[in-house]
């Protein structure tokens, strides 16, 4: 089944429209055939006229023969057949191509019944069998019709004669068949038109949903004040729109409270940590060398510094969430910055071998301190998680309007389930859940926020299964494009 809801709605509408169109076509064909039969009946009446009111056999025969010739001239291929009998069943006149085996007794009896009731209603009419009385004209029965094979038959009688006259339906059947063929040939086009109409109707019906999607795409940490308009919304969608707007309002309030809490907590913790740091440094200077108190102060000082780093990172993330990350943009020689980061790898681990492929003279516009923090996190992770397996590969190149920095290391691979959460705050892969590998689980989150603040992105890419590779993409400087 197709995935598009609009296409599904269009396809679902085809059977309904198809049934309606088929029903209309069948009804139209039936009506056309019925009109054709009524037209044929009228021609049959005109062929006989009022001749039975003056039943002179030779005049009636001549009149019918003239009419048969006229019909053949007017409509080529249409035939007219005729039979006249008396009430004893003797055939008085019969055309040569009269249908074999057909005597029309059923409709002749029905015609005679109508003649009988006409005579009972008016006793002054002459009786059957030729007793005409003083009236110059004979009564005639109501015309009775039936379809026999390819003929339309009409039965009429007077008190002396019974007449059957039939007209061929070949031209009418051919006309209906031609029209039916045209309908069948136009069915594919009609089907396409139905699908297109269903698609258009689905598109019009889904306008409120498109408005919801458009607003949802604009909603972010910086645009939680976006709301969906309900002025032109249909009543069926207003409840959904109101519910989504209420949800966005709750999210905005909750997110604002969380951002303010993170920022306020970070600010409030900085002062006592600064005091604690200073006191530990003082105690460390006063402690005798090699004493247990000196070792304790050093351990506590390391933890305070680690806690201070976490607080600074939380403050930076809070600023990013609120859209207030401080950036001092300037033209930067990104190639030189990456080369310095490669030197830092050797400083962090002299045993580590590095492969660097850095294109020269690549420039970006950004905050030097922030971008150095991104590279410090990426390089630090590459060194910590390489597990001593060389090399660490650093590649910098320009691709169109983007600058791409890729840093990869060999070591324990990141599992698929962990790859989806690698940028979550405070999340560390199982291979990093130990105190031997220092970290807080905030480095990659901060690096991605900084990349997004610069209009770029940071992503974990699929490389060699034995490698872990991160790619930083930043807009190239206008002067270097």
């Amino acid at each position: 089944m197709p995935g598009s809801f609009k296409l599904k709605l269009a396809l679902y509408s085809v059977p309904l429209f198809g049934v309606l169109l088929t029903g209309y076509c069948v009804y139209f064909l039936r009506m056309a055939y019925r009109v054709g039969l009524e037209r044929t009946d009228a021609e049959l009446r005109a062929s006989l006229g009022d001749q039975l009111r003056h039943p002179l056999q030779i005049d009636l025969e001549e009149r019918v023969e003239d009419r048969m010739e006229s019909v053949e001239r007017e409509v080529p291929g249409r035939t007219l057949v005729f039979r006249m009998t008396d009430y004893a069943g003797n055939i008085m006149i019969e055309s040569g191509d009269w249908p074999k085996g057909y005597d029309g007794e059923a409709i002749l009896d029905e015609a005679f019944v109508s003649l009988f009731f006409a005579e009972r209603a008016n006793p002054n009419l002459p009786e059957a069998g030729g007793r005409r009385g003083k009236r110059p004209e004979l009564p005639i029965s109501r015309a009775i019709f039936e379809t026999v094979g390819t003929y339309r038959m009409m039965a009429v009688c007077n008190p002396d004669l019974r007449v059957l006259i039939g007209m061929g339906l070949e031209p009418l059947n051919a006309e209906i068949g031609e029209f039916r063929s045209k309908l069948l040939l136009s069915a594919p086009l009609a089907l396409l038109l139905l699908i297109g109409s269903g698609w258009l109707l689905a598109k019009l019906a889904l306008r409120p949903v498109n408005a919801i999607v458009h607003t949802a795409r604009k909603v972010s940490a910086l645009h939680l004040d976006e709301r969906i308009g309900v002025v032109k919304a249909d009543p069926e969608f207003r409840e959904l729109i109101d519910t989504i707007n209420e949800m966005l309002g709750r999210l905005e309030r909750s997110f604002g409270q969380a951002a303010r809490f993170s920022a306020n907590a970070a600010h409030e913790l900085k002062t006592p940590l600064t005091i604690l740091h200073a006191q530990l440094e003082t105690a460390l200077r006063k402690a005798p060398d090699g004493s247990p108190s000196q070792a304790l102060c050093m351990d506590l000082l390391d933890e305070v510094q680690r806690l201070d780093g976490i607080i600074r990172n939380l403050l930076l993330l809070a600023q990013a969430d609120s859209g207030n990350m401080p950036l001092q943009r300037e033209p930067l020689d990104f190639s030189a910055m990456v080369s310095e980061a490669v030197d830092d790898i050797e400083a962090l681990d002299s045993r580590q071998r590095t492969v660097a492929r850095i294109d020269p003279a690549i420039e970006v516009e950004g905050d030097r301190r922030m971008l150095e923090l991104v590279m410090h996190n990426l390089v630090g992770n590459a060194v910590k998680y390489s597990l001593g397996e060389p090399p660490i590969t650093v590649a910098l190149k320009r691709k169109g309007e983007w600058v791409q920095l890729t840093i990869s290391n060999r070591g324990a691979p990141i599992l698929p389930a962990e790859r989806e959460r690698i940028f979550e705050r405070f999340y560390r892969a199982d291979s990093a859940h130990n105190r031997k590998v220092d970290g807080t689980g905030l480095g990659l989150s901060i690096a991605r926020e900084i990349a997004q603040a610069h209009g770029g992105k940071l992503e974990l890419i699929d490389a060699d299964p034995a490698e872990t590779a991160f790619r930083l993409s930043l807009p190239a400087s206008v002067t270097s494009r």
Side-chain angles (χ1 to χ4, degrees):
M1 181 56 97
S4 171
F5 179 75
K6 288 187 289 187
L7 182 58
K8 287 181 182 179
L9 195 58
L11 294 178
Y12 289 157
S13 65
V14 168
L16 175 61
F17 290 151
V19 170
L20 294 177
L21 182 60
T22 302
Y24 173 77
C25 291
V26 171
Y27 173 77
F28 186 82
L29 287 173
R30 287 181 175 272
M31 290 300 299
Y33 188 75
R34 181 176 178 180
V35 170
L37 289 181
E38 291 177 354
R39 184 180 60 196
T40 303
D41 295 345
E43 293 177 358
L44 288 172
R45 288 193 185 95
S47 299
L48 193 61
D50 290 338
Q51 192 64 30
L52 285 181
R53 295 186 184 276
H54 309 281
L56 296 177
Q57 179 176 339
I58 185 170
D59 294 341
L60 181 60
E61 184 177 0
E62 290 177 355
R63 177 179 175 84
V64 172
E65 289 178 352
D66 292 341
R67 182 57 183 165
M68 291 171 65
E69 294 177 358
S70 175
V71 167
E72 292 179 356
R73 288 195 304 270
E74 293 173 359
V75 184
R78 172 170 284 185
T79 58
L80 193 68
V81 295
F82 181 79
R83 173 190 274 187
M84 184 172 66
T85 61
D86 59 17
Y87 281 91
N90 300 314
I91 299 176
M92 304 173 65
I93 304 174
E94 183 180 274
S95 57
D97 51 355
W98 180 260
K100 295 182 179 180
Y102 177 71
D103 55 12
E105 289 297 329
I107 58 174
L108 285 173
D109 291 344
E110 189 175 349
F112 178 75
V113 170
S114 69
L115 176 64
F116 173 77
F117 281 105
E119 291 178 330
R120 292 288 300 272
N122 191 349
N124 293 323
L125 293 175
E127 297 179 0
R131 295 185 296 276
R132 303 173 186 171
K134 298 180 180 180
R135 291 180 59 83
E137 295 182 349
L138 294 178
I140 60 175
S141 69
R142 180 169 57 89
I144 307 299
F145 298 91
E146 74 172 347
T147 301
V148 180
T150 58
Y151 285 93
R152 183 67 171 173
M153 294 294 184
M154 180 183 75
V156 183
C157 60
N158 65 15
D160 295 327
L161 302 174
R162 301 190 304 171
V163 175
L164 286 170
I165 184 170
M167 185 173 289
L169 297 176
E170 291 85 353
L172 176 61
N173 292 334
E175 183 180 350
I176 297 298
E178 182 180 0
F179 185 72
R180 186 187 300 111
S181 299
K182 291 181 179 178
L183 285 178
L184 292 176
L185 290 176
S186 62
L189 178 60
L191 182 62
L192 292 177
L193 291 176
L194 288 174
I195 294 177
S197 301
W199 178 276
L200 180 60
L201 290 176
K203 186 176 181 180
L204 294 176
L206 290 177
R207 276 185 175 179
V209 178
N210 294 333
I212 295 173
V213 172
H214 179 71
T215 303
R217 285 176 177 171
K218 294 191 296 183
V219 173
S220 66
L222 305 181
H223 299 284
L224 285 173
D225 57 339
E226 292 287 344
R227 297 294 184 272
I228 304 170
V230 296
V231 177
K232 298 182 180 180
D234 297 324
E236 293 82 0
F237 287 96
R238 286 185 180 176
E239 183 176 359
L240 173 62
I241 293 174
D242 290 340
T243 302
I244 293 177
N245 285 338
E246 292 174 2
M247 179 189 69
L248 290 176
R250 292 193 299 270
L251 286 176
E252 183 181 13
R253 291 190 295 271
S254 300
F255 196 85
Q257 292 173 356
R260 287 192 298 271
F261 172 80
S262 299
N264 294 336
H267 279 293
E268 293 297 328
L269 290 173
K270 285 180 66 176
T271 300
L273 281 177
T274 302
I275 296 173
L276 183 59
H277 188 277
Q279 291 178 346
L280 286 173
E281 286 184 338
T282 301
L284 184 62
R285 286 195 300 268
K286 294 180 178 180
D289 293 339
S291 62
S293 58
Q294 184 186 47
L296 178 61
C297 289
M298 291 179 63
D299 291 340
L300 292 175
L301 188 60
D302 290 340
E303 293 300 325
V304 169
Q305 290 175 343
R306 183 171 180 272
L307 185 57
D308 184 58
I310 294 175
I311 291 175
R312 286 198 304 269
N313 290 338
L314 287 175
L315 180 59
L316 188 59
L317 289 172
Q319 292 172 337
D321 290 341
S322 61
N324 297 321
M325 180 179 287
L327 294 180
Q328 297 180 357
R329 294 180 179 271
E330 59 178 323
L332 300 174
D333 185 349
F334 202 53
S335 297
M337 294 178 62
V338 174
S339 298
E340 294 175 2
V342 173
D343 295 337
D344 292 341
I345 294 176
E346 298 176 356
L348 291 171
D349 188 352
S350 58
R351 300 170 299 174
Q352 186 61 256
R353 185 166 60 89
T354 306
V355 176
R357 295 188 292 269
I358 303 173
D359 291 349
I362 294 181
E363 295 184 355
V364 297
E365 292 184 1
D367 188 298
R368 177 181 292 274
R369 182 177 64 88
M370 294 294 184
L371 292 179
E372 286 178 347
L373 180 58
V374 173
M375 287 189 288
H376 174 75
N377 284 329
L378 295 178
V379 167
N381 285 343
V383 173
K384 286 187 291 186
Y385 300 126
S386 65
L387 302 180
E389 295 187 18
I392 293 177
T393 303
V394 179
L396 176 66
K397 62 180 179 179
R398 183 167 51 241
K399 188 174 183 180
E401 297 183 351
W402 292 91
V403 172
Q404 293 184 344
L405 170 63
T406 303
I407 300 178
S408 62
N409 64 276
R410 303 184 67 82
I414 299 177
L415 300 177
E418 296 174 342
R419 294 174 70 89
E420 298 177 358
R421 303 184 58 191
I422 198 68
F423 291 102
E424 291 184 10
R425 299 174 187 183
F426 294 106
Y427 179 79
R428 303 180 69 193
D430 288 339
S431 59
H433 284 169
N434 58 77
R435 301 293 294 180
K436 295 180 181 180
V437 180
D438 189 27
T440 62
L442 294 175
L444 289 177
S445 300
I446 293 173
R448 185 176 63 172
E449 294 291 347
I450 294 174
Q452 292 175 349
H454 282 80
K457 60 181 178 180
L458 177 63
E459 55 189 338
L460 176 64
I461 63 175
D462 293 327
D464 189 312
E467 287 186 349
T468 300
F470 288 91
R471 177 184 294 158
L472 172 65
S473 300
L474 295 173
S477 175
V478 177
T479 59
S480 65
R481 293 180 185 176

